[in-house]
Amino acid sequence: MNAVLIFLFGLPFIVQALIVLLLIVTLGPTLSGAVMINEWQVGIIIKRFGPRSLPPGRLVALGGEAGYQAQTLPPGLHFGYFFWQYRIQKVPVVIVPQGEIALVIAADGAPIPAERILGKVVDSDNFQDASKFLINGGEKGRQLGILTGGSYRINTALFTIITSAHATRHGMDRGALYLTQVHQDMVGIVTTLDGFSIEAGEIAGPAISGHDNFQNAQQFIDHGGRRGLQEQILLSGTWNLNPWFVQVEQVPMVQIPIGYVGVVISFVGKAHEDVSGIEFKHGDLVNVGHKGVWVSPLYPGKHPINTRVMKVELVPTTNIVLNWATRTEAHKYDEKLQSITVRSKDGFAFNLDVSQIIHVGALDAPKVISRVGSMQNLVDHVLQPIVGNYFRNSAQDYTVLDFLSARSQRQVEAAEHIRTAIGAYDVQAIDTLIGDIHPPGELMQTQTDRKIAEEQRKTYEAQEAAQKQRQQLVRQTSLADIQHQVVGAEQGVQIAELQANAHIKQATGEAEAVRLRSLGEAEAIRATGGAKAEAYRVGVESLGSQSYTLMQLMQIIGDRNVRIVPDVSVTGTTANPGLVDGLLGVMMKKQSTAS
C-alpha cells in the first residue's frame, strides 16, 4: 500500500487529479450505494443482514429483517443500497398478453383455511404491492385473484406468475390461460373448485349474486358460494375466469321445435311449493325457479337451460298418431305397440289393427308430465292398457262375423269410451280408427266358400233368365216374320165371307120383301135389305174391297173374341225340327193355365 502511495505522489499533479477523478467515477456509485433501474425492470431487494431474523415460516421481510424485502425498486436511480448490505436483483416486468390471463402463486402469507384451496383476494394493487398483500392478510399458495392483459411490476420473490409463455413448466395447458369463450347458441355449465360444501340434499350450488359471472371469485365465496356444480350458467361471450377456480363445459342451448313445448323438470331451485290446485291430485306443479315440474312450459325457440340440473321433456302439441300395428310413426312413441289380439263371443281369437289420434295442449303438457313423467310413459303405461283392454273386453260381446259386419259401429263406441278414459289424464282423444281385422283363416274359408256358392247360384239364375228371354225373343221374332201371311190369309177368308154374306143378305132381303109384300111389310124389308146392300156397296167403293173387308173382319174378330196368334209356335231346321221346343211350349202353357 505504501508503495502505491509513493508511486502516486511521484506522479505529476495533473495525472494524480485524473486518477482521483477516475476512481471517484468508478467507485462513486458503489461507495454511495446508487442503483439504476430501467423502465422495463423491477428491483428486488435482498438485505444481507439486519437487526433481527425473519420469523419461522416467513420468506419476505416487512420490518427490515434480513432476506427478501417486500418493497421493490421502481425505474430510476436509487441511493443508499450499499453493496456490503444489499443485493439488488433486477427482473423484467410481467407482461400478460391481451386475450390471456396470468395465475399467481404466493410464496409467503397466512395459511389458507382447511375448507378452502385458494388464497383469498386482498387489496394489493394486483399483487404489485407485496407489503399490502402481507399486511392485509394475503394467504400463501395459489390465488383466487388473477392478472388480466397488461404489464405489472411484481415482486417475484413473493409471487410466481404463470403466463401462457411458460405454462407447461407448471404442468398446465397453454389454452387454460386464454380467456374463456362461450360460443354462440351455447351455454357454459360451471363447476366451481373452491367455496363451501354443497348443502345436504342438493346437487348444485345456488345462484349467487354480485360475482360478475364468476369473474370475481372472492365475491362468490364471500356471498356463500358453494363448491361444485352450479345452477347459474354462462351465456355466450368472453370471460376472465381463473381455471383454478372454475371449470366450464359448453353445451348447446335447449331448442324447442315448432309444434312442441318443453316441460322443465328442475332438480334445483327454491323450496317445492305446489301450485296445481286441489283438483289436480295425481301430481304437482311449481312456479318457475322452484324444484319440481314448472307450471309454465317453454315455447318454440332456443332457451339457455342448465341441462345438468334440469331436464326438459319435449311434448308434441300437434296431433299424434299411435298405431297398434306393424307400422311405426316417425316419432317412435308407438315403436313397441303391436296388433291387439282379442277373443270373440264364439271363441275365435283374431287380431285388430288400431290407430289412436291424441292431442296434448300446451298448457296441459306440464300436467301430463307431472302425472306420467314422459310422453313415452304416457303411451306405454296409460294409452296401451286403455286401448288394448277396451277392445279385448268389447270383442267378447260379439261374434267375429258381427264384429266384421258392424265395424263402423264398434269404432264409434271405441272412440267414445277411449275419449272419456284418457281425458282423465288431460289428454284429448281426437279419433279412434279400426284398421285391418285379421279373423281366423278357417272361419273366413267357410265364409268364402259360402259366398262363392251363393254368387254361383245367382249366376245360374241369371243365365236361366237370359235363356228364357232368348227363347221368348225367338218366338216373337218368328211370329213377326209370319204375321203378314196370317193376316193376308185371314183377310181373304173374311172378304169371301163378307161377299157371301152380302149376297145372302141381298137374297134374304128380296125374299123377305116378297113375303112381307103379301103381308103389307114386304116394302119395309126390302128397304132394309137394300139399305144394307147399299151400305156394303158404298163401303167397298169408298175403301176398296180388301180394306173394307179387313175392317169388317177386325170388327167380327173383336165381337167374337177370335184369337189370331197361336199359343205355341214351332220353327226349326232340317237338323233341329223344333219338336222339343214345341213340346216345352205346350207344357209351359198347361202349367201356366193350371196355376
Side-chain angles (χ1 to χ4, degrees), residues 34-45 72-79 81 87-93 153:
V35 177
M36 182 65 182
I37 305 297
N38 66 32
E39 183 179 359
W40 298 102
Q41 289 180 333
V42 177
I44 306 299
I45 303 173
T72 59
L73 297 179
L77 183 60
H78 305 274
F79 295 95
Y81 294 95
R87 183 166 68 89
I88 306 302
Q89 182 181 355
K90 299 178 182 180
V91 298
V93 298
R153 301 186 181 279

Side-chain angles (χ1 to χ4, degrees), residues 314-331:
L314 289 179
V315 178
T317 54
T318 56
N319 289 349
I320 306 171
V321 179
L322 303 171
N323 296 309
W324 278 258
T326 56
R327 64 183 182 277
T328 301
E329 298 293 332
H331 50 63

